[in-house]
C-alpha cells in the first residue's frame, strides 16, 4: 500500500473544505502545479504567479474557516495537521492566554515567600491581609476593646465624647443632685491635690465669728452662720458663690445651726430661751420658745433619720427632742457636762463626750446607756463625731489630741485602744469632719491661726502640703466637706469662709 505524503493529505483536506464552504474546486492543473512546486524549480516565473494565487486563496479560506466550526479530526495525525494548518486566531489566542495565566501564577508563587513564623493571633489582627470580611474585623476589634475596658477601664484620652478634662474646675460643678461617692481609686497619701477658690461668703462678709458651715445634701447650696446673728445662703460654684438669701436676727447670736436630713429646714440656736426654724422651700420662719429655763439651743445635733434632736444642757444633762414636733421626749443625765455629742449614721446610738475623760453611749430604742468608756490619753474632751460609713469614732480633746476608734469596740469595751492617734495640733480641737467615703478627715483648732490638718485615714498620716504656706485661713472654727467631697469649707473667727476644691473627688 502506497503512503500518502503530507502535502497530498493537506491538499485533499483543503479541497474537502472548499466544497463544504461552497468554493469552486481548483483545476487539476492547479493541483498538479501545487504538487510539483516542491520538486520542480524549472520555471521560476510560473511558480511565483501560482504561489501568489494560492496565498490569496488560502487567506480567503482561513478567513471563512475562522467563522465556522471545524469538523473534528478523525485521527491523531489529522488532528496534528489540522492544528498546524487551521489553528486559527481563536485557538492561538486562547492558547496564548492560557500560557500567560499559567506563567503569571508561576511568577506570583515565586514572588510570594513563605513566612518564617506563623502566629495564630495574627489572623485576628485587623491588619492581617488574610482577613475575609470587614465585619469580622469590626467584631474582633470590638471584642478586644470590651475586654480591655473590662480589665483596665476606658482611657480618658480615648473618650471622644468628653467635653473637657476631668481635672477641669467645671467638671465638678456640672454634677448637681443626690450624693455620689468619690472615685473608685484609693485616696493617695503624702500629698493631696487642692485648689483654693473664691471665699464662700465673698458677697456677704457680715456673719461675724463663723459658727456653722452646712452644705445642702442635694443642691449646690451652702449655709453659713455667725455670731452677728446672720445666716447666709449662697450658691456654690467656686467662682462667683452668689448670695441667694440672707436671714438677719437682731440680738440673736447664732451659736449653732443644724439642717434636717432632707435639706428642707434649718434650725438656728443661740443662748436665748428661744430658737428659730426656717423652711428653705417656702421661705417661712418660726420662733419657738424653750419652756425649761435651765438650757438653751446653743449646742445641738439632728439625727440622720430626722426623728431626734439632742441638745446639751447644764450639769451633764442631754435633752432629747422630737425632730418633727420639737417636743421634749426625754432628759439624759451623765456625770459631767457635755461639750459635744453626735448621732451614729444609722440613728441607733447617741454618743456624748464630757469635760472629763468619759464617753457615754446611749441606745435610742432602749432608752438607756449601753456603755461608758474612757477616752485614751484624754484630760478634757472637746469634740466627737462618727464617720459616714459607721466604722470609726473620732474624739478630740483640749490637749490637741484626736483619737480614732473602731465603733464596734467602743460599744463593748471600757478601755478601748484607738486605731489611730493624731497629735499634730497642740491646742484644743474645736472641729472634726469626715468626707463621704470615710477616707479623709479634717481637724482644726480655733486657738491659733492656720491650725488645721487633713488626715489620710487608711494610713493615719497627715498631708504635708496642707495648709499651704501663707494660706491665711485665720483661726479655724468649723471645717466641712460637701456631700460628694468635691469641696472643703473652712470657717474662721475672722468672719470669712475659705473654699477649696478637692480634686481627687469629681462630684459636688
Amino acid at each position: 500500500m502506497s503512503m500518502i505524503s503530507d502535502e497530498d493529505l493537506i491538499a485533499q483536506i483543503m479541497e474537502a473544505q472548499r466544497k463544504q464552504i461552497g468554493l469552486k474546486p481548483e483545476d487539476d492543473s492547479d493541483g498538479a502545479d501545487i504538487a510539483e512546486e516542491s520538486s520542480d524549480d524549472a520555471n521560476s516565473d510560473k511558480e511565483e504567479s501560482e504561489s501568489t494565487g494560492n496565498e490569496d486563496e488560502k487567506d480567503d479560506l482561513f478567513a471563512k474557516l475562522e467563522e465556522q466550526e471545524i469538523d473534528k479530526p478523525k485521527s491523531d495525525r489529522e488532528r496534528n495537521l489540522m492544528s498546524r494548518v487551521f489553528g486559527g486566531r481563536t485557538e492561538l489566542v486562547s492558547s496564548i492566554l492560557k500560557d500567560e495565566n499559567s506563567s503569571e501564577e508561576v511568577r506570583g508563587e515565586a514572588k510570594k515567600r513563605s513566612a518564617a513564623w506563623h502566629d495564630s493571633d495574627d489572623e485576628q489582627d485587623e491588619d492581617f491581609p488574610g482577613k475575609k470580611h470587614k465585619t469580622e474585623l469590626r467584631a474582633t476589634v470590638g471584642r478586644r476593646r470590651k475586654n480591655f475596658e473590662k480589665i483596665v477601664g476606658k482611657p480618658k484620652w480615648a473618650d471622644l465624647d468628653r467635653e473637657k478634662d476631668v481635672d477641669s474646675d467645671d467638671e465638678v460643678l456640672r454634677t448637681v443632685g443626690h450624693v455620689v461617692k468619690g472615685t473608685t481609686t484609693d485616696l493617695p497619701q503624702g500629698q493631696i491635690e487642692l485648689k483654693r477658690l473664691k471665699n464662700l461668703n465673698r458677697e456677704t462678709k457680715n456673719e461675724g465669728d463663723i459658727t456653722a458651715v452646712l452644705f445642702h445634701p442635694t443642691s449646690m447650696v451652702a449655709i453659713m452662720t455667725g455670731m452677728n446673728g446672720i445666716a447666709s445662703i449662697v450658691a456654690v460654684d467656686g467662682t462667683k458663690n452668689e448670695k441667694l438669701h440672707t436671714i438677719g436676727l437682731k440680738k440673736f447670736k447664732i451659736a449653732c445651726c443644724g439642717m434636717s436630713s432632707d435639706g428642707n429646714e434649718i434650725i438656728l440656736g443661740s443662748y436665748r430661751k428661744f430658737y428659730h426654724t426656717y423652711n428653705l422651700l417656702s421661705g417661712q420662719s418660726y420662733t419657738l420658745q424653750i419652756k425649761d429655763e435651765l438650757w438653751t439651743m446653743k449646742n445641738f445635733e439632728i439625727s440622720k433619720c430626722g426623728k431626734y434632736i439632742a441638745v446639751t444642757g447644764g450639769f451633764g444633762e442631754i435633752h432629747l427632742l422630737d425632730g418633727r414636733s420639737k417636743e421634749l421626749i426625754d432628759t439624759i443625765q451623765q456625770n459631767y457636762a457635755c461639750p459635744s455629742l453626735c448621732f451614729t449614721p444609722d440613728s441607733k446610738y447617741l454618743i456624748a463626750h464630757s469635760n472629763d475623760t468619759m464617753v457615754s453611749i446611749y441606745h435610742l430604742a432602749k432608752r438607756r446607756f449601753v456603755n461608758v468608756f474612757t477616752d485614751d490619753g484624754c484630760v478634757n474632751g472637746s469634740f466627737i463625731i462618727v464617720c459616714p460609713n459607721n466604722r470609726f469614732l473620732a474624739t478630740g480633746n483640749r490637749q490637741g489630741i484626736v483619737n480614732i476608734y473602731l465603733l464596734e469596740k467602743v460599744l463593748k469595751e471600757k478601755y478601748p485602744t484607738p486605731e489611730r492617734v493624731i497629735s499634730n495640733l497642740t491646742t484644743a480641737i474645736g472641729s472634726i469632719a469626715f468626707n463621704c467615703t470615710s477616707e479623709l478627715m479634717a481637724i482644726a483648732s480655733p486657738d491659733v491661726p492656720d491650725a488645721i490638718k487633713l488626715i489620710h485615714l487608711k494610713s493615719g498620716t497627715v498631708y504635708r502640703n496642707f495648709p499651704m504656706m501663707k494660706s491665711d485661713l485665720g483661726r479655724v472654727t468649723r471645717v466641712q466637706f460637701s456631700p460628694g467631697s468635691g469641696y472643703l469649707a473652712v470657717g474662721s473667727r475672722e468672719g470669712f469662709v475659705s473654699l477649696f476644691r478637692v480634686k481627687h473627688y469629681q462630684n459636688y
Side-chain angles (χ1 to χ4, degrees), residues 399-419:
Q399 291 70 46
I401 305 297
V402 175
N403 291 328
I404 303 174
Y405 298 92
L406 286 175
L407 183 60
E408 59 182 3
K409 283 188 176 182
V410 300
L411 293 176
K412 302 175 182 179
E413 300 180 12
K414 295 293 183 179
Y415 302 95
T417 302
E419 300 295 315

Side-chain angles (χ1 to χ4, degrees), residues 403-469:
N403 291 328
I404 303 174
Y405 298 92
L406 286 175
L407 183 60
E408 59 182 3
K409 283 188 176 182
V410 300
L411 293 176
K412 302 175 182 179
E413 300 180 12
K414 295 293 183 179
Y415 302 95
T417 302
E419 300 295 315
R420 299 279 187 270
V421 178
I422 312 299
S423 57
N424 295 81
L425 298 181
T426 58
T427 53
I429 303 298
S431 182
I432 303 176
F434 286 96
N435 81 316
C436 66
T437 60
S438 302
E439 56 185 348
L440 182 63
M441 182 176 71
I443 61 174
S445 173
D447 294 341
V448 294
D450 296 337
I452 181 174
K453 297 292 181 182
L454 290 179
I455 292 92
H456 183 264
L457 280 176
K458 188 175 182 180
S459 63
T461 58
V462 175
Y463 285 100
R464 300 186 300 270
N465 62 328
F466 184 83
M468 292 79 80
M469 293 291 293

Side-chain angles (χ1 to χ4, degrees), residues 257-261 265-267 300-310 323 343:
C257 178
M259 183 184 296
S260 61
S261 57
E265 184 184 61
I266 60 173
I267 300 176
F300 65 89
E301 289 290 332
I302 303 174
S303 65
K304 190 72 175 178
C305 65
K307 293 182 179 180
Y308 306 105
I309 300 175
F343 290 93

Side-chain angles (χ1 to χ4, degrees), residues 272-276 286-292 295 297 326:
R272 307 289 295 272
K273 295 301 177 181
F274 58 89
Y275 59 97
H276 297 276
Y286 300 92
T287 302
L288 303 177
Q289 296 290 331
I290 300 174
K291 298 179 181 179
D292 193 339
W295 57 277
M297 294 285 288
K326 310 300 186 296

Side-chain angles (χ1 to χ4, degrees), residues 245-261:
H245 187 61
T246 298
I247 304 170
L249 303 172
K250 293 183 179 181
K251 298 181 180 180
F252 190 87
K253 295 180 179 181
I254 303 176
C256 188
C257 178
M259 183 184 296
S260 61
S261 57

Side-chain angles (χ1 to χ4, degrees), residues 262-281:
D262 56 8
N264 294 336
E265 184 184 61
I266 60 173
I267 300 176
L268 305 173
S270 181
Y271 300 97
R272 307 289 295 272
K273 295 301 177 181
F274 58 89
Y275 59 97
H276 297 276
T277 63
Y278 182 83
N279 192 296
L280 295 173
L281 297 180

Side-chain angles (χ1 to χ4, degrees), residues 50-228:
E50 290 178 354
S51 159
T52 303
N54 291 337
E55 289 295 329
D56 294 338
E57 292 179 358
K58 287 181 180 180
D59 291 340
D60 295 337
L61 174 62
F62 290 156
K64 292 188 176 182
L65 286 175
E66 288 289 330
E67 299 174 0
Q68 297 191 22
E69 182 179 354
I70 301 176
D71 292 339
K72 294 182 179 181
K74 300 176 175 53
S75 64
D76 294 338
R77 184 181 179 186
E78 186 176 352
R79 184 184 296 110
N80 188 16
L81 292 173
M82 288 182 66
S83 176
R84 290 168 60 184
V85 177
F86 304 113
R89 298 176 185 175
T90 303
E91 186 176 349
L92 178 61
V93 171
S94 62
S95 177
I96 292 174
L97 291 176
K98 183 177 180 180
D99 293 339
E100 288 181 352
N101 292 335
S102 60
S103 63
E104 287 180 0
E105 291 178 0
V106 172
R107 287 195 299 269
E109 292 177 357
K111 290 181 181 180
K112 183 178 179 181
R113 301 175 61 185
S114 60
W117 174 262
H118 175 73
D119 192 347
S120 59
D121 291 338
D122 292 341
E123 297 180 359
Q124 298 181 357
D125 192 82
E126 60 179 340
D127 296 328
F128 186 72
K131 211 65 179 173
K132 294 182 179 180
H133 199 271
K134 291 183 179 180
T135 304
E136 189 175 354
L137 287 176
R138 296 190 188 101
T140 301
V141 173
R143 183 174 63 256
R144 287 188 173 186
R145 181 180 293 111
K146 289 180 180 178
N147 292 337
F148 176 83
E149 292 177 0
K150 185 184 297 183
I151 298 173
V152 181
K154 188 174 183 179
K156 295 177 182 178
W157 54 263
D159 186 6
L160 300 180
D161 297 329
R162 72 186 189 279
E163 296 179 2
K164 293 183 180 181
D165 293 334
V166 176
D167 194 41
S168 64
D169 294 337
D170 295 336
E171 187 72 18
V172 173
L173 308 178
R174 290 208 310 263
T175 305
V176 181
H178 296 286
V179 177
V180 181
K181 290 188 177 182
T183 57
T184 56
T185 57
D186 292 336
L187 179 68
Q189 64 184 76
Q191 291 191 350
I192 187 169
E193 289 189 68
L194 294 173
K195 181 180 181 180
R196 189 164 186 175
L197 307 175
K198 299 286 187 180
N199 287 348
L200 198 56
N201 62 340
R202 60 184 297 269
E203 287 193 355
T204 57
K205 303 178 183 179
N206 298 319
E207 294 82 10
D209 188 345
I210 301 297
T211 56
V213 179
L214 305 175
F215 286 97
H216 195 275
T218 58
S219 300
M220 296 184 67
V221 173
I223 301 170
M224 298 160 292
T225 62
M227 296 297 286
N228 288 347

